[in-house]
């Protein structure tokens, strides 16, 4: 029997992938939010789930630690996504990657004047490319979370982060000023596995595509 493993991260990705898995006919035997197990068996003897950090999903799938995975476009773009096949936009965990500044900060003016912007983000690669394409000089400040704090304490002029409802920005007196990209989660596939395990993987990819209404 050909074994297939699917890499998923806890939280939003797992929560929004679970109904798709259900439609595909895959049910984990343990609840990943409660279990400490990192490898979860499922009702299908040939399918297991592995629980990884969201930003590690592309690495696991690219290097064959898992055959399939679900990762946000933000994570894939930051990682680079080389060696990954991305056959299905699952349309889940949708949000937008935005540049945001403190209310009252003249972003357009700063850009027009060619000011050097201090930008805090965990998406340093995407941010570097975005501002380089605009011809804006930036000092990148790498943070690992709570980016919204940086402009409030004078650490940065702007942040690059994901925005869904906008509540987090509003609660911290920040305003979105520019969209970098719309984000949703994609099914990703190890390219070698797609060749060696095609008979097992292709039906699953097709089922995910159908479950996502694509
Ligand atoms: P919101 O307040 O609804 O705009 O959500 C913003 C916060 O949730 C920020 O801290 C984001 O990093 C995070 N966030 C929003 N949407 C997503 C998503 N699809 N995936 C991961 N994090 C998200």
């Amino acid at each position: 029997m050909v074994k297939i493993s699917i890499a998923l991260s806890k939280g939003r990705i797992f929560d929004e992938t679970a109904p798709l898995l259900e439609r595909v006919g895959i049910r984990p035997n343990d609840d990943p939010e409660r279990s400490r197990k990192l490898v979860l068996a499922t009702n299908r003897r040939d399918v297991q789930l592995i629980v990884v950090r969201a930003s590690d999903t592309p690495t696991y799938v690219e290097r064959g630690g898992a055959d399939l995975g679900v990762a946000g476009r933000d994570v894939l773009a930051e990682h680079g996504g080389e060696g990954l096949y991305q056959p299905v936009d699952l349309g889940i965990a949708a949000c937008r990657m935005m540049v945001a500044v403190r209310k009252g900060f003249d972003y357009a003016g700063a850009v027009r004047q060619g000011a050097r912007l201090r930008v805090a983000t965990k998406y340093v690669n995407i941010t570097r490319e975005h501002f380089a394409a605009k011809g804006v000089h930036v000092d990148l400040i790498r943070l690992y979370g709570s980016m919204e704090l940086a402009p409030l304490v004078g650490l940065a002029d702007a942040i690059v982060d994901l925005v869904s409802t906008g509540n987090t920005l509003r609660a911290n007196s920040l305003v979105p000023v520019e969209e970098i990209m719309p984000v949703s989660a994609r099914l990703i596939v190890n390219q070698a596995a797609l060749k060696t395990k095609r008979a097992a993987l292709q039906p699953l990819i097709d089922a995910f595509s159908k479950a996502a209404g694509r």
Side-chain angles (χ1 to χ4, degrees), residues 12 93-95 148 161-168:
R12 204 178 307 241
C95 58
E148 295 86 359
D161 195 8
L162 301 179
V163 179
S164 175
T165 59
N167 288 340
T168 307

Side-chain angles (χ1 to χ4, degrees), residues 46-144:
D46 62 333
V47 178
Q48 65 180 17
L49 306 183
I50 67 164
V51 181
V52 300
R53 265 194 82 119
S55 50
D56 291 336
T57 309
T59 305
Y60 274 90
V61 177
E62 186 179 288
R63 293 174 172 269
D67 302 301
L68 300 175
V70 177
R73 183 182 175 199
D74 55 325
V75 167
L76 290 166
E78 184 65 17
H79 176 83
E82 306 91 3
L84 288 170
Y85 177 51
Q86 302 180 24
V88 189
D89 180 350
L90 297 170
I92 57 172
C95 58
R96 295 182 297 158
M97 188 179 291
M98 309 276 305
V99 181
V101 299
R102 212 174 160 162
K103 217 189 279 172
F105 179 83
D106 182 9
Y107 176 72
V111 166
R112 213 178 316 113
Q113 285 161 24
R116 198 173 179 91
L117 282 178
R118 297 167 305 153
V119 185
T121 187
K122 63 176 176 184
Y123 301 104
V124 287
N125 296 325
I126 296 170
T127 301
R128 189 183 300 111
E129 278 173 34
H130 174 73
F131 285 103
K134 284 168 63 81
V136 174
H137 294 288
V138 291
D139 282 332
L140 284 176
I141 302 164
R142 182 198 286 272
L143 295 176
Y144 292 90

